[in-house]
Amino acid sequence: MATPPAPGQQPTPQQIAAMQAQITQEAAKRGMTPQQFQLWQRQQMEADAKKAGLSFDEYINRLKQHALETHQRKQQLAQQQQAAEQSGQPQIQQGKSEQQVPITPGAPDPKALALAKWMRGQDLKTRTCILNGQRKDMFR
């Protein structure tokens, strides 16, 4: 797949052709013509803009800004990794942070209990912490 154009640049003819092919492919998956698919996409985006309480143009500008920020973050991360490789430093894995799941009160999930029982039987380091005023064993 062609790489996206840098912000502020026009796409190359190859990139335009790749985008048109992708639109045609997506339209075919949904049993639409490319024009119908583009109209459907626009209607979806207008609905999303309405949900967000924005005008269509404001919504598009926010999407563009978000895409630009994401692109810049990826470039910065790639530069940092490249600099780390050149200097011989160990690489730091970023972008994949652990996702925290909120703890909901109520009956414990039987799958979670089975997993905890199995983990207690393994040779793992445990850490005792205070959670909601109670001591809990955590696995490391």
Side-chain angles (χ1 to χ4, degrees):
M1 177 150 204
T3 59
Q9 291 182 343
Q10 293 296 318
T12 65
Q14 294 86 0
Q15 290 169 329
I16 292 171
M19 287 185 271
Q20 289 173 338
Q22 187 175 2
I23 289 171
T24 303
Q25 195 176 34
E26 288 292 322
K29 283 182 189 176
R30 291 172 172 78
M32 301 178 186
T33 66
Q35 292 79 16
Q36 290 172 327
F37 178 70
Q38 287 176 327
L39 179 63
W40 174 79
Q41 270 190 322
R42 183 177 177 93
Q43 291 169 346
Q44 292 294 313
M45 291 173 64
E46 286 172 348
D48 291 343
K50 190 175 181 180
K51 283 182 195 174
L54 301 170
S55 72
F56 182 71
D57 291 334
E58 289 172 328
Y59 183 72
I60 294 298
N61 286 335
R62 283 212 181 156
L63 287 177
K64 286 179 181 178
Q65 183 65 31
H66 179 71
L68 176 64
E69 289 169 1
T70 302
H71 177 75
Q72 288 173 340
R73 259 188 257 119
K74 285 182 180 180
Q75 275 189 326
Q76 191 176 29
L77 180 60
Q79 288 172 350
Q80 288 172 352
Q81 287 178 343
Q82 187 178 17
E85 287 173 4
Q86 289 175 352
S87 65
Q89 295 176 350
Q91 289 187 8
I92 300 171
Q93 188 174 6
Q94 291 179 330
K96 291 189 176 184
S97 60
E98 293 181 20
Q99 186 176 10
Q100 293 185 354
V101 179
I103 298 173
T104 54
D109 184 11
K111 291 179 186 175
L113 290 175
L115 177 62
K117 182 179 178 183
W118 177 81
M119 288 180 78
R120 282 190 186 98
Q122 302 302 307
D123 186 25
L124 299 172
K125 289 185 179 180
T126 58
R127 297 287 184 260
T128 303
C129 68
I130 306 295
L131 181 66
N132 296 333
Q134 296 179 334
R135 289 180 182 221
K136 297 286 181 181
D137 287 332
M138 299 288 173
F139 301 103
R140 185 154 200 241

